[in-house]
Amino acid sequence: MSEATTIPYGKITTPEQLGRLVRHQRKAQGATQAEFAALCGVGVRFISELENGKPTLELGKVLQVLHCLGLELSLGPRGWPTSPSPSGTHPC
Amino acid sequence: MSEATTIPYGKITTPEQLGRLVRHQRKAQGATQAEFAALCGVGVRFISELENGKPTLELGKVLQVLHCLGLELSLGPRGWPTSPSPSGTHPC
DNA sequence: CAAGAATATTACCGAACGGGAATAATATCG
DNA sequence: CGATATTATTCCCGTTCGGTAATATTCTTG
């Protein structure tokens, strides 16, 4: 697996990390920020700020956008392995 | 496993769900909202609102509080199994 | 049950969110 | 490289966040 195909899932400890993943997923789905904003029912500004890791965004809107991306957050103890395998195989 | 020992981890799709999990973890650690707020560097008000599922809270502060709880969010496609087993055993 | 502990709510107030539009800046692509 | 597309930033403005303290309400416990 090359650097170019970064795993689009993973741990979220900062708004920046979340933003990077959101942008990656959006682009993977071939949508512009404007299209995506309309789809999610938020403003373009929000999408831009989210993707750029702005820490003061509303939690509920963030979750709303994740839902639109077909993504889901899961909460667990720090360090526990959760990243789905990019090849689709199971962790074990 | 009885009703009293609800799994404290899982999927997060709404602020309410997150709030319930946060409250559960805080109580499991035997801390009051005030103690916990001081520990996390936020106000008591924020903890109360977070635990009650207020949707407009700042994302960055939420992540900060989760860090203090020794918790971590993980992002993946909807439906993918991620809940750690409460008994400590591996998913498979 | 009553006292005390814990939590929710209110007040004050400066900072700032976010929609939508406009525009500046940056990225893309033939 | 230049034209176009996309994204970031700015503007306006009503609404509200969140710290802190006070207080109302609810929960816990002996």
Side-chain angles (χ1 to χ4, degrees):
Chain A
M1 184 188 302
S2 72
E3 190 79 36
T5 53
T6 307
I7 302 179
Y9 305 123
K11 310 282 176 60
I12 306 291
T13 59
T14 68
E16 291 81 23
Q17 287 176 350
L18 182 62
R20 278 194 292 272
L21 289 179
V22 167
R23 177 166 287 168
H24 182 101
Q25 284 295 314
R26 174 179 60 81
K27 289 190 171 184
Q29 294 183 25
T32 61
Q33 291 185 341
E35 291 167 343
F36 191 52
L39 178 67
C40 297
V42 300
V44 176
R45 173 194 179 143
F46 185 84
I47 297 293
S48 178
E49 289 179 340
L50 169 57
E51 295 186 351
N52 281 287
K54 193 167 184 290
T56 52
L57 300 189
E58 289 182 17
L59 173 63
K61 279 189 184 300
V62 172
L63 292 176
Q64 182 179 329
V65 169
L66 292 180
H67 182 85
C68 280
L69 273 174
L71 295 177
E72 191 168 74
L73 284 169
S74 187
L75 190 64
R78 201 176 312 150
W80 124 91
T82 54
S83 297
S85 169
S87 60
T89 60
H90 291 286
C92 43
Chain B
M1 184 187 305
S2 70
E3 191 77 37
T5 54
T6 307
I7 302 180
Y9 305 122
K11 310 282 176 61
I12 305 293
T13 58
T14 68
E16 291 80 23
Q17 288 175 352
L18 182 62
R20 280 194 289 272
L21 289 179
V22 166
R23 177 165 285 167
H24 182 102
Q25 284 294 313
R26 173 179 62 81
K27 289 189 170 184
Q29 295 184 24
T32 61
Q33 289 184 342
E35 290 166 344
F36 191 50
L39 178 67
C40 297
V42 299
V44 177
R45 175 196 182 142
F46 184 84
I47 299 293
S48 178
E49 290 179 344
L50 169 58
E51 294 186 353
N52 281 288
K54 193 167 185 287
T56 52
L57 300 186
E58 286 183 19
L59 173 63
K61 280 189 183 297
V62 171
L63 293 177
Q64 181 178 329
V65 169
L66 292 180
H67 182 83
C68 279
L69 273 173
L71 295 176
E72 191 166 76
L73 284 170
S74 189
L75 190 65
R78 201 177 310 152
W80 129 87
T82 54
S83 297
S85 167
S87 61
T89 59
H90 291 289
C92 44

